[in-house]
Amino acid sequence: MRPGARLMEPLREADPARIAGYRLFRRLGAGGMGVVYLARSGGGSLAAVKVIRAASGRSGRAATSSRSAVCWRTR
């Protein structure tokens, strides 16, 4: 097994397949702010893409917003 392979999870049914031109492959982690995915750009670079959750109105329940950020890229 590759180092770090156990840290990643498969995408879930509700996870998007693409975000902002990045194809998502695996979940790297999730927390109170959102979910971080392992992704690949159209040019082939690997990246970590974080999807940030936003509070949904008065209920205070978290809902995934359309905001995302590329947190880290490999060369």
Side-chain angles (χ1 to χ4, degrees):
M1 183 177 290
R2 293 185 336 254
R6 292 183 302 195
L7 301 177
M8 294 186 274
E9 299 176 17
L11 293 177
R12 297 179 183 171
E13 192 172 311
D15 290 331
R18 292 186 163 277
I19 294 177
Y22 288 84
R23 182 172 175 216
L24 307 182
F25 288 99
R26 307 283 284 181
R27 281 176 156 246
L28 295 176
M33 270 190 81
V35 181
V36 180
Y37 299 98
L38 175 64
R40 188 173 299 275
S41 72
S45 296
L46 289 175
V49 176
K50 184 172 190 174
V51 176
I52 301 168
R53 292 187 178 101
S56 61
R58 298 180 194 164
S59 68
R61 292 172 32 207
T64 303
S65 75
S66 60
R67 297 185 324 162
S68 62
V70 176
C71 301
W72 172 75
R73 289 186 192 172
T74 63
R75 291 182 191 223

